[in-house]
Amino acid sequence: MSTAEETADDGMQPWAEVTPDAARRLLVAAVEAFAERGYHATTTRDIAGRAGMSPAALYIHYKTKEELLHRISRIGHEKALEVLRTAAKGEGSAAERLAEAVASFVRWHAAQHTIARVVQYELDALGPESRAEIIALRRQVDAEARGIIEDGVAAGEFDVPDVRGTTLAVLSLCIDVARWFRVDGPRTPDEVGALYADLVLRMVGARPQPSSTAAQT
Amino acid sequence: MSTAEETADDGMQPWAEVTPDAARRLLVAAVEAFAERGYHATTTRDIAGRAGMSPAALYIHYKTKEELLHRISRIGHEKALEVLRTAAKGEGSAAERLAEAVASFVRWHAAQHTIARVVQYELDALGPESRAEIIALRRQVDAEARGIIEDGVAAGEFDVPDVRGTTLAVLSLCIDVARWFRVDGPRTPDEVGALYADLVLRMVGARPQPSSTAAQT
């Protein structure tokens, strides 16, 4: 599913896989409308209007407003998971992989903050089945991050008394970037990513030079 | 304004100062409605209904829906600031004050997660004047947290290359507790507060025993 170009781009083209064009335009319009007014205050008529289409044209692609939210939430979570998984599967020490995972996860939440806000704040608006699917994706995100931290603990690189709680805090810190990040703010997504990678290595008590630690054993 | 009882209670009675009773009941109803359906999808009629009152009775206390949101946001921010300020002004080393500030700020966001979500997610719905007032309160919250971190750096207790960025991250970590905290989840507000105090001391590179460092100089 993911091309080399997408990986190089941190998966920053969230809707690239959505076809045809009209279905993609409707998703983009729905994200904007939900972000501005909230899910419950938005009608399918509003969304169709933003996309320059008639309500009847919308129904060809999406049967309900909830289907639009579900699609947005699923793609948003899948892309965030892909970004994290790519970093987790990379080469290097646990510290290097954790730093890369945090930096790329933060860049995603900064660059795609509008999508991320909708995905995070409107979770309760999903129906039971859609919600269960999204929660399963969130468990996978959690497992990827926890896996790197567990690797670091096992290798003696990290000192983490509470792995589950620390994983939760690390992901929470990264996700909340979507709430406060402003495009006209003082820091770029790359700068926030670099700062957060450093802070997270401190949170897990990473040894400054893991390679020299390995040499001692 | 704050009594000894409120301080002991971490300022956890957010609406205690709102009188008369009807005005307080309307605020509580508005928080619930905004949290469930979003600000834009909620009408003053919905809010009055939830409070068991008529729309006409609501207008005696609040002229507009925005006035309700502004009141909620102001009280929410003032209480959060009070919680943080009490900890910042306490006795002890910078590490002890930072740990207490984080623990109590987290307890507030966990216990009052419904208010905190409304306050954080509906900021854009405020008019320009209300918004400016809230942003000024947020700057004070930021300054309190930054002040403790600067104290720790000046005393040689903390190692923080980027004080502004680290302050932002620490507050963001605490605020996001309101998004994910569930009353039926595995951790109490106290437990999350204790975990986060430890993680934040790691983020600022706090020396394990600041008193022995002081003895060396």
Side-chain angles (χ1 to χ4, degrees):
Chain A
M1 187 73 86
S2 79
T3 65
E5 198 183 326
E6 271 183 319
T7 308
D9 197 28
D10 266 355
M12 294 293 183
Q13 307 294 332
W15 314 127
E17 72 197 50
V18 181
T19 54
D21 273 4
R24 183 164 57 236
R25 268 160 53 209
L26 285 163
L27 277 193
V28 172
V31 167
E32 285 171 7
F34 294 158
E36 263 180 47
R37 306 266 307 164
Y39 174 78
H40 294 289
T42 301
T43 63
T44 47
R45 179 173 289 274
D46 296 334
I47 296 167
R50 273 178 188 261
M53 291 161 66
S54 69
L58 183 146
Y59 288 116
I60 296 170
H61 302 286
Y62 304 101
K63 277 185 222 76
T64 62
K65 185 172 71 162
E66 199 245 343
E67 191 181 330
L68 275 155
L69 179 63
H70 177 215
R71 193 79 190 269
I72 291 163
S73 199
R74 198 179 62 205
I75 296 177
H77 277 90
E78 281 171 351
K79 291 288 170 187
L81 178 59
E82 186 186 316
V83 162
L84 195 57
R85 194 167 269 168
T86 302
K89 285 202 167 55
E91 298 194 349
S93 64
E96 284 161 343
R97 286 184 293 132
L98 185 60
E100 178 52 30
V102 166
S104 56
F105 202 58
V106 163
R107 284 196 299 269
W108 163 266
H109 281 89
Q112 306 295 344
H113 58 272
T114 312
I115 298 170
R117 280 181 214 165
V118 169
V119 159
Q120 296 297 341
Y121 302 168
E122 302 290 7
L123 197 63
D124 291 341
L126 291 172
E129 277 183 44
S130 311
R131 214 163 159 224
E133 190 194 26
I134 300 303
I135 287 170
L137 281 168
R138 293 166 83 94
R139 292 221 176 93
Q140 290 181 58
V141 167
D142 190 78
E144 287 294 337
R146 198 169 64 242
I148 311 177
I149 294 176
E150 282 168 348
D151 286 351
V153 171
E157 281 185 61
F158 299 165
D159 165 32
V160 182
D162 179 347
V163 170
R164 281 193 177 269
T166 302
T167 303
L168 172 70
V170 166
L171 290 174
S172 167
L173 180 68
C174 298
I175 289 168
D176 195 51
V177 169
R179 181 183 55 85
W180 61 259
F181 186 80
R182 296 286 176 275
V183 175
D184 57 357
R187 291 165 202 268
T188 65
D190 277 349
E191 286 166 351
V192 180
L195 170 67
Y196 274 45
D198 174 61
L199 290 172
V200 167
L201 289 183
R202 288 165 170 241
M203 288 164 82
V204 298
R207 311 267 183 280
Q209 305 256 346
S211 53
S212 66
T213 310
Q216 283 166 15
T217 19
Chain B
M1 188 74 83
S2 78
T3 66
E5 198 181 327
E6 271 183 319
T7 308
D9 198 26
D10 266 355
M12 294 292 183
Q13 306 295 331
W15 314 128
E17 72 196 49
V18 181
T19 55
D21 274 3
R24 183 164 55 237
R25 269 163 50 213
L26 286 163
L27 278 194
V28 172
V31 167
E32 286 171 6
F34 294 158
E36 263 180 46
R37 306 267 308 163
Y39 175 79
H40 294 289
T42 301
T43 63
T44 48
R45 179 174 290 273
D46 297 333
I47 297 167
R50 274 179 188 261
M53 290 162 65
S54 69
L58 182 147
Y59 289 115
I60 295 170
H61 303 286
Y62 305 99
K63 278 185 223 77
T64 61
K65 185 172 71 161
E66 198 246 342
E67 190 180 331
L68 275 154
L69 178 62
H70 177 214
R71 193 77 190 269
I72 290 163
S73 198
R74 197 178 62 205
I75 296 177
H77 277 90
E78 281 170 351
K79 290 289 171 185
L81 177 59
E82 187 185 313
V83 162
L84 194 58
R85 193 167 270 168
T86 302
K89 286 202 165 60
E91 297 193 351
S93 65
E96 285 161 343
R97 286 184 293 131
L98 185 59
E100 177 53 29
V102 166
S104 56
F105 202 58
V106 163
R107 285 197 299 269
W108 163 266
H109 282 89
Q112 306 295 344
H113 58 272
T114 312
I115 298 170
R117 280 181 214 166
V118 169
V119 159
Q120 295 298 340
Y121 302 167
E122 302 290 7
L123 196 64
D124 290 342
L126 290 173
E129 277 183 44
S130 311
R131 214 163 159 225
E133 190 194 27
I134 300 303
I135 287 170
L137 281 167
R138 293 166 83 94
R139 293 223 175 93
Q140 289 180 59
V141 166
D142 189 78
E144 287 296 338
R146 197 170 62 242
I148 310 176
I149 294 176
E150 282 169 347
D151 286 352
V153 171
E157 279 185 62
F158 299 164
D159 165 31
V160 183
D162 178 348
V163 169
R164 281 193 178 268
T166 303
T167 304
L168 172 70
V170 166
L171 290 174
S172 167
L173 180 68
C174 298
I175 288 168
D176 196 51
V177 169
R179 180 182 57 83
W180 60 259
F181 187 80
R182 298 283 176 275
V183 174
D184 57 358
R187 292 165 200 267
T188 66
D190 277 349
E191 286 166 351
V192 181
L195 169 66
Y196 274 45
D198 174 59
L199 289 172
V200 167
L201 290 184
R202 288 165 171 241
M203 288 166 83
V204 299
R207 311 267 184 282
Q209 304 256 348
S211 53
S212 66
T213 309
Q216 282 167 14
T217 19

